[in-house]
Amino acid sequence: MTKDAPAAPPLAEQAVCDHQWLLKSMSVDGREHRSRLLWQKLWRDRPYFTCDDLGYVRGSAGSNPYLGRFSLQDGGQISWSQIPEISRMGSVRDSSDLEQDYLRALPQTDSLSLEGDALILQSESGATRLEFKRTENLPGEKP
């Protein structure tokens, strides 16, 4: 006899926005980000993603903070009502290639899924894909 695995609860119930997500890997238009090895070692410059119950998305794109807004459906579909862009709240640093690719990739995504402690945002074609790892501390925070 085999047991059927219980169905996963809807994404809204899994509280995606109750966690902080640190970028682990990124493909933009089918191209893996080239600086991957370097930015994965430089903790303070790694992009991260957070959101709230109102759909605001914020974090750091590597060099500068960003702000955007999306809506999340129970099936994992997302739509961007405000394209993420650099927030002008502080002094803006020159954008790195990583930041430019990250901010270009986010609004290309239209689905969100959870796989263990990973958050995956990707385009319908799969050519653009961002994978984040859940983290307790964000770059620049003290544990």
Side-chain angles (χ1 to χ4, degrees):
M1 275 177 76
T2 61
K3 278 187 160 181
D4 288 335
L11 285 172
E13 292 177 24
Q14 292 180 10
V16 169
C17 293
D18 287 346
H19 300 286
Q20 303 172 111
W21 305 94
L22 190 63
L23 187 64
K24 182 178 177 183
S25 65
M26 178 174 62
S27 297
V28 184
D29 300 324
R31 174 181 53 81
E32 183 88 16
H33 194 275
R34 294 191 187 280
S35 304
R36 181 172 179 221
L37 295 175
L38 179 61
W39 61 261
Q40 284 195 347
K41 292 180 181 181
L42 298 174
W43 175 261
R44 65 180 170 78
D45 290 334
R46 287 178 69 177
Y48 66 89
F49 177 94
T50 62
C51 56
D52 64 27
D53 293 340
L54 299 175
Y56 285 98
V57 175
R58 59 184 53 87
S60 171
S63 301
N64 296 291
Y66 69 90
L67 178 67
R69 192 170 190 189
F70 73 167
S71 59
L72 172 62
Q73 307 301 314
D74 280 344
Q77 298 83 16
I78 56 176
S79 60
W80 295 94
S81 57
Q82 181 182 344
I83 302 300
E85 61 183 25
I86 293 173
S87 172
R88 303 291 179 198
M89 295 189 320
S91 60
V92 177
R93 299 185 335 194
D94 289 339
S95 292
S96 64
D97 289 341
L98 172 61
E99 181 172 75
Q100 291 173 24
D101 280 348
Y102 180 77
L103 290 174
R104 183 172 53 247
L106 276 177
Q108 291 180 16
T109 61
D110 52 20
S111 70
L112 178 148
S113 61
L114 292 172
E115 296 177 11
D117 69 346
L119 170 68
I120 298 166
L121 281 77
Q122 66 182 13
S123 62
E124 186 174 343
S125 68
T128 296
R129 184 176 194 274
L130 295 99
E131 183 175 341
F132 298 86
K133 181 176 170 101
R134 187 170 46 218
T135 183
E136 296 301 318
N137 298 313
L138 294 174
E141 287 185 349
K142 293 183 180 183

